[in-house]
């Protein structure tokens, strides 16, 4: 096994030039934002929060914002063709466009990153309304994905200037217990992983905290490599995946084919009670990857004693892994759009800070069964 935990680098001793307070929101470009918003509300338990569109003075697109605890999703769709947003949806299908990060000073975040080589996609911009002001700035990352820096310390409104409150008094789905973004994974092209590792290190001051090579993450057929990047306080973690040579097509390669480029592979959503959350999600129609029930035969021998009963984990298909600091429970949805691209991970951490390496083989075999059913293995 070639897994390595990086030694603390010199950056640990120097001031963090890009202090991040966590994920502010995730924006998805989708083909039909109205229906996508309803899906995240009905299936995942988000609540309606804010809306922007022609009624608020935005002529070419609409955005619906939904929220659950500290998780905020924005669903955006173009109203016409022949523009960058419409081209994005046509080329990539539904997917993550913006991983917005909360900062104390968006001008400074833009200055620090662009002077280190980041490509700007949004110069610092101040937005005002009666609830105060928000400063936004942004830089490009892999594929057509962007990071937006959001400074909201002088803002008291629900979301952002330009949006109006949105709620339906007749429809307020219950939360499924999802709490916050644990990590977001990017799929990049052949030989591109180290380029993006360097980007996160040099431009954003992140550290490489874990690495997996293709001897860790391979099955009989397909393989990938992964490096986990974390910001200084650990609030923001971005694993980066690259395909590796195997007997058959890597799952990362299938993603790159169907997304038509690099992009966000999955967003991991944290819960404090995974049995309750996954029961709820399954009852609302969310589809999950299924590992064989034999996975559970020797689970407790592999991971040791856990607080949860084994039966509900087995019924729901929840996976468990342990590291030096504790254990974690996790499960992956099937892709949430017709293209085999973006999916979600549901994760509950009980001390473990890792990513479920012990489950990779069982999971990737489950992914390959799905790939094979699509004729892409
Ligand atoms: Fe993950």
């Amino acid at each position: 096994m070639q897994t390595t935990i990086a030694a603390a680098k010199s950056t640990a001793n120097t001031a963090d030039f890009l202090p991040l307070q966590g994920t502010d929101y995730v924006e998805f470009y989708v083909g039909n934002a109205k229906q996508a918003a309803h899906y995240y509300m009905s299936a995942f338990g988000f609540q309606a929060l804010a809306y922007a569109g022609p009624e608020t003075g935005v002529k070419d697109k609409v955005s619906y914002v939904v929220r659950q605890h500290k998780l905020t999703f924005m669903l955006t769709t173009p109203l016409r063709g022949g523009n960058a947003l419409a081209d994005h949806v046509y080329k990539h299908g539904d997917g993550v466009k913006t991983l917005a990060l909360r900062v104390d000073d968006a001008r400074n975040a833009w200055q620090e990153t662009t002077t280190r080589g980041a490509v700007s996609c949004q110069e610092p911009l101040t937005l005002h309304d009666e609830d105060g002001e928000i400063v936004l700035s942004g830089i490009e990352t892999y594929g057509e994905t962007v990071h937006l820096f959001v400074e909201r310390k002088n803002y008291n409104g629900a979301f952002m200037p330009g949006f109006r409150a949105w709620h339906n008094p007749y429809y307020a789905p219950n939360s499924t217990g999802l709490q916050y973004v644990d990590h977001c994974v990017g799929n990049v092209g052949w030989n591109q992983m180290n380029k993006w590792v360097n980007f996160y290190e040099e431009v954003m001051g992140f550290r490489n905290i874990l690495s997996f090579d293709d001897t860790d993450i391979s099955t009989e057929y397909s393989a990938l490599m992964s490096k986990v990047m974390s910001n200084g306080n650990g609030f923001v973690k971005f694993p980066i995946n690259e395909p590796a040579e195997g007997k058959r097509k890597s799952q990362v390669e299938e993603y790159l084919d169907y997304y038509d480029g690099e992009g966000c592979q999955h967003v991991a959503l944290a819960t404090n009670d995974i049995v309750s959350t996954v029961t709820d999600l399954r009852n609302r129609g969310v589809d999950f990857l299924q590992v064989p029930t034999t996975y559970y035969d020797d689970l407790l021998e592999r991971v040791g004693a856990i607080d949860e009963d084994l039966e509900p984990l087995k019924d729901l298909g929840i996976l468990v892994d342990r590291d030096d600091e504790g254990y974690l429970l996790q499960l992956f949805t099937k892709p949430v759009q017709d293209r085999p691209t973006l999916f979600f991970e549901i994760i509950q951490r009980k001390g473990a800070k890792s990513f479920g390496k012990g489950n990779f083989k069982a999971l990737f075999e489950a992914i390959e069964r799905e790939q094979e059913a699509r004729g892409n293995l």
Side-chain angles (χ1 to χ4, degrees):
M1 290 288 179
Q2 299 297 309
T3 306
T4 53
I5 296 179
K9 294 183 105 176
S10 57
T11 49
N13 299 322
T14 56
D16 187 354
F17 65 81
L18 184 62
L20 301 175
Q21 297 166 359
T23 302
D24 194 88
Y25 67 91
V26 181
E27 182 180 22
F28 305 78
Y29 277 1
V30 298
N32 187 332
K34 179 180 276 191
Q35 291 190 4
H38 193 276
Y39 171 72
Y40 285 106
M41 292 167 68
S42 59
F44 284 80
F46 284 78
Q47 300 281 335
L49 181 72
Y51 167 85
E55 300 87 343
T56 66
V58 179
K59 294 300 179 200
D60 55 349
K61 64 179 181 181
V62 295
S63 295
Y64 294 82
V65 181
V66 296
R67 178 170 289 169
Q68 177 168 193
H69 301 293
K70 290 182 177 172
L71 272 173
T72 307
F73 284 0
M74 186 191 297
L75 295 315
T76 296
T77 208
L79 289 173
R80 293 190 180 83
N83 55 67
L85 170 50
D87 292 349
H88 194 288
V89 173
Y90 182 77
K91 180 176 165 83
H92 302 296
D94 290 7
V96 171
K97 175 63 181 180
T98 307
L99 295 167
L101 305 170
R102 192 171 307 175
V103 296
D104 190 56
D105 185 338
R107 290 181 188 85
N108 189 57
W110 186 86
Q111 197 66 42
E112 293 285 354
T113 50
T114 54
T115 55
R116 287 173 169 82
V119 176
S120 171
C121 65
Q122 174 65 63
E123 291 191 15
L125 171 71
T126 305
L127 303 171
H128 299 270
D129 68 11
E130 64 278 12
D131 292 314
E133 70 169 44
I134 278 187
V135 186
L136 301 176
S137 65
I139 60 171
E140 296 180 1
T141 179
Y142 47 78
E144 291 194 80
T145 317
V146 302
H147 291 310
L148 207 58
F149 301 117
V150 182
E151 172 189 329
R152 54 171 73 250
K153 63 176 184 279
N154 297 317
Y155 193 68
N156 296 315
F159 186 61
M160 201 176 277
F163 285 76
R164 72 179 189 192
W166 167 51
H167 78 287
N168 179 342
Y170 301 102
Y171 184 60
N174 291 327
S175 167
T176 58
L178 296 171
Q179 301 289 331
Y180 58 87
V181 172
D182 185 274
H183 60 274
C184 298
V185 180
N187 278 343
V188 301
W190 294 94
N191 303 315
Q192 297 299 301
M193 183 173 66
N194 287 332
K195 169 185 157 184
W196 290 106
V197 166
N198 290 340
F199 169 85
Y200 281 106
E201 280 179 348
E202 287 162 22
V203 171
M204 296 185 68
F206 282 42
R207 287 195 308 123
N208 174 210
I209 57 165
L210 275 175
S211 299
F212 308 99
D213 72 8
D214 52 351
T215 62
D216 292 320
I217 311 183
S218 68
T219 62
E220 188 182 353
Y221 292 126
S222 69
L224 63 86
M225 297 182 285
S226 188
K227 290 190 177 179
V228 181
M229 307 307 295
S230 172
N231 82 317
N233 60 17
F235 290 177
V236 178
K237 292 187 283 294
F238 293 144
I240 307 289
N241 292 337
E242 175 185 321
E245 292 289 353
K247 282 188 198 166
R248 302 279 187 91
K249 183 184 270 193
S250 166
Q251 54 170 292
V252 178
E253 211 179 345
E254 189 197 34
Y255 175 102
L256 296 170
D257 284 353
Y258 280 85
Y259 198 68
D260 199 357
E262 300 178 340
C264 179
Q265 179 209 38
H266 73 267
V267 180
L269 310 175
T271 170
N272 298 323
D273 183 349
I274 197 167
V275 170
S276 157
T277 294
V278 172
T279 299
D280 215 353
L281 292 170
R282 281 200 182 275
N283 288 339
R284 293 164 185 236
V286 176
D287 286 327
F288 291 93
L289 284 177
Q290 198 73 44
V291 296
T293 53
T294 52
Y295 171 88
Y296 296 91
D297 292 350
D298 56 352
L299 177 66
L300 297 181
E301 286 148 50
R302 291 201 306 273
V303 302
I306 54 174
D307 301 335
E308 294 73 16
D309 291 334
L310 197 56
E311 274 312 305
L313 300 182
K314 190 173 172 179
D315 282 349
L316 295 164
I318 294 167
L319 311 177
V320 189
D321 193 30
R322 185 178 285 279
D323 65 21
D324 295 342
E325 294 171 275
Y327 68 98
L328 61 82
L329 305 107
Q330 64 184 168
L331 185 54
F332 295 81
T333 72
K334 291 186 181 179
V336 290
Q337 59 291 304
D338 293 301
R339 298 193 199 193
T341 51
L342 175 73
F343 58 88
F344 290 96
E345 173 179 353
I346 310 300
I347 184 166
Q348 181 179 5
R349 294 187 181 277
K350 295 193 130 177
K353 295 200 179 76
S354 53
F355 294 83
K357 182 181 138 184
N359 292 324
F360 287 170
K361 189 171 193 308
L363 270 170
F364 294 161
E365 285 171 354
I367 290 173
E368 283 171 9
R369 284 192 293 278
E370 302 281 323
Q371 251 182 284
E372 183 156 39
R374 293 188 284 263
N376 294 330
L377 188 63

